[in-house]
Amino acid sequence: MRLFHTSDWHLGQSLHGQERDFEHACFLDWLLGQLRLRQPDALLIAGDIFDTVNPPVKAQERLYDFIVQAHEQQPKLDIVMIAGNHDSGSRIELPAPLMRRLRTHALGRVHWLDEGRLDAERLLIPLSDARGKVQAWCLALPFLRPAEVTGPGLGDDYLQGITQVHAQLIEAALKKRKKDQALIAISHAHMAGGSVSEDSERSLIIGNAEALPARLFDKAIGYVALGHLHKPQKVNREARIRYSGAPIPLSFAEINYPHQVLEVEFSGSQLVSVEPRLVPRAVALQRLGPAPLAELLPLLNDLPVIDLLEDPNRQPWLEVRVRLDEPQPDLRQQIERALHGKAVRLVRISAEYAGSGREEDDEQAFVELARMTPQDLFGRAWEQAYGGPADAQALADFAELLQDVLQAEEQP
């Protein structure tokens, strides 16, 4: 059996106010081509399909057009997609009855049959080969919010609730599978040991439980297709537990990431190989600086001029990072004059003043509000108000309030 593992599409995302629809369209066209070329039996999309809980109509059209095209191209392809922390679980599941006709399974939430008993059946998806024979079972684990795994009969401990979900789902899968059928999990979570990008992934801290232990996935699970972290990586160097990473760079911090889809091969219940399929970059992200303005202006002047025969949608996104000795009221005007007629699209100017007393490296020096998590802002506000860091109880209370707000955002 062969499957594709991808995640973190973030359809509808904008880069400092500039929409990325063209890049997402290019990726989805490429993915359709790879599905046609490699003929996998299943496609796993591990969450953060959309960038927000209320995505624009165009982003939703992109997803559903892709699913229809994939089904028309390969009628026997199984597609499993789960909600991530950026997604609304209810929105992901809303068209599920229709999508099942396209062999697409959309899971946004976990349900409980009664106190303490998981509805595991709806989270177990059979994956068939080209002949229609079930070769594997997919354990679908959408992003687990506290309200879904805590409460009456479940307890108040978030990590314990997550552990209970994993244990009951794996137990049900072991009972259901037959000899030589693989068990494959798809999950959206921050696993312990994972490497986070500089400014793209929304924090999943809830109380004191942020990074989940890999031991949640029993050794009987042949492969774990993870979403949330945008950098492709193994978890604890285990070949079977992997993040595929985002298919396009979602921030300038991700310029050097190898954006990819993973092709996973099984022989019976045994994992045989995991190979990356690199995604071509439709639009480059380019950074200049940090450097003094006098050094940057010649570099800007030397950039290529616009070729009227080329598609303007493919012009690179540009970030300029400037070191200043004194305020420059016309900083943007100087940079825009230097870029006049150049084949780039300026999306961001970062300025740092010399002599600020900061000793951090270049990456840490360019911190702005848009890149700070709610936890960062809360911590800074607390320290300014009380003269010291927030204690564990305050952080836990804030995390609970934050989750309530995020859940309220999901309500139609």
Side-chain angles (χ1 to χ4, degrees):
M1 161 165 273
R2 177 181 299 145
L3 60 90
F4 274 12
H5 166 201
T6 179
S7 73
D8 295 274
W9 292 2
H10 288 267
L11 300 176
Q13 192 235 11
S14 63
L15 183 69
H16 301 290
Q18 304 300 312
E19 69 170 31
R20 316 290 299 279
D21 183 65
F22 174 77
E23 293 159 271
H24 280 123
C26 290
F27 161 65
L28 293 175
D29 285 344
W30 173 86
L31 182 55
L32 281 171
Q34 290 296 302
L35 292 171
R36 184 170 55 249
L37 176 66
R38 302 298 300 170
Q39 292 291 309
D41 301 295
L43 171 66
L44 308 183
I45 311 171
D48 280 358
I49 298 161
F50 299 117
D51 192 56
T52 64
V53 295
N54 292 307
V57 171
K58 185 183 293 185
Q60 297 177 64
E61 290 176 347
R62 284 285 177 214
L63 174 64
Y64 301 127
D65 284 348
F66 168 81
I67 289 172
V68 170
Q69 291 179 67
H71 180 72
E72 290 176 343
Q73 176 178 283
Q74 291 165 258
K76 296 183 179 179
L77 177 72
D78 290 315
I79 300 176
V80 181
M81 64 183 199
I82 59 172
N85 60 299
H86 279 251
D87 298 311
S88 161
S90 56
R91 183 183 296 278
I92 292 296
E93 289 193 352
L94 185 63
L98 290 174
M99 288 197 289
R100 280 196 289 270
R101 296 171 181 259
L102 305 174
R103 295 182 69 94
T104 297
H105 307 270
L107 287 305
R109 296 179 179 275
V110 298
H111 295 167
W112 301 90
L113 298 175
D114 51 36
E115 290 189 358
R117 190 162 65 94
L118 179 72
D119 184 357
E121 191 68 27
R122 68 186 294 273
L123 302 176
L124 291 173
I125 313 298
L127 302 180
S128 304
D129 61 18
R131 296 168 297 175
K133 182 180 179 182
V134 176
Q135 295 284 1
W137 289 91
C138 181
L139 293 71
L141 286 158
F143 175 62
L144 300 172
R145 302 185 188 279
E148 297 173 59
V149 298
T150 60
L154 302 174
D156 298 324
D157 187 280
Y158 176 63
L159 183 56
Q160 181 57 42
I162 287 180
T163 302
Q164 187 174 345
V165 169
H166 284 72
Q168 292 194 32
L169 184 56
I170 291 171
E171 181 183 6
L174 289 170
K175 291 178 179 178
K176 185 175 285 286
R177 78 158 173 185
K178 297 178 181 178
K179 184 180 179 181
D180 292 331
Q181 289 179 340
L183 295 183
I184 299 165
I186 176 173
S187 174
H188 191 91
H190 183 178
M191 306 303 296
S195 175
V196 181
S197 78
E198 179 188 332
D199 58 2
S200 293
E201 294 113 345
R202 182 182 295 168
S203 174
L204 298 187
I205 295 175
I206 299 172
N208 294 319
E210 176 185 10
L212 304 181
R215 66 175 179 273
L216 288 173
F217 296 104
D218 188 274
K219 292 294 184 181
I221 307 297
Y223 183 77
V224 182
L226 292 171
H228 177 59
L229 300 185
H230 298 169
K231 183 178 182 178
Q233 57 194 286
K234 302 174 186 176
V235 174
N236 296 339
R237 300 183 180 178
E238 284 199 59
R240 71 183 183 104
I241 307 179
R242 299 207 186 206
Y243 288 96
S244 62
I248 68 172
L250 296 166
S251 75
F252 285 94
E254 300 178 13
I255 290 175
N256 297 318
Y257 285 7
H259 301 282
Q260 61 186 32
V261 166
L262 293 174
E263 181 176 317
V264 184
E265 194 86 31
F266 272 85
S267 177
S269 62
Q270 298 301 310
L271 178 65
V272 174
S273 64
V274 182
E275 297 292 338
R277 302 290 167 207
L278 297 180
V279 180
R281 191 166 294 183
V283 178
L285 270 66
Q286 188 172 351
R287 260 179 168 173
L288 288 180
L293 184 61
E295 295 179 16
L296 286 172
L297 291 177
L299 297 177
L300 299 176
N301 282 312
D302 289 341
L303 291 172
V305 298
I306 294 173
D307 183 342
L308 296 179
L309 298 179
E310 291 185 354
D311 185 348
N313 286 314
R314 294 189 178 275
Q315 291 179 4
W317 302 115
L318 176 65
E319 177 190 58
V320 178
R321 305 197 296 174
V322 190
R323 293 197 189 279
L324 298 175
D325 293 321
E326 59 184 6
Q328 292 277 354
D330 63 342
L331 176 63
R332 176 169 287 275
Q333 290 87 340
Q334 290 189 63
I335 290 174
E336 289 179 344
R337 280 197 301 269
L339 290 174
H340 181 70
K342 303 300 183 182
V344 293
R345 291 173 286 179
L346 178 66
V347 294
R348 183 168 179 246
I349 299 173
S350 291
E352 179 197 42
Y353 289 94
S356 61
R358 299 181 62 170
E359 300 293 337
E360 296 90 349
D361 59 31
D362 289 340
E363 298 302 324
Q364 293 300 318
F366 286 84
V367 175
E368 60 182 54
L369 183 62
R371 283 167 46 182
M372 295 181 69
T373 67
Q375 288 82 3
D376 293 333
L377 292 171
F378 176 75
R380 289 193 176 199
W382 182 283
E383 191 160 357
Q384 288 176 359
Y386 300 105
D391 59 25
Q393 185 59 54
L395 292 172
D397 291 343
F398 175 76
E400 186 174 346
L401 288 172
L402 177 62
Q403 288 301 314
D404 289 342
V405 171
L406 293 175
Q407 284 181 272
E409 287 181 358
E410 292 190 16
Q411 302 305 316

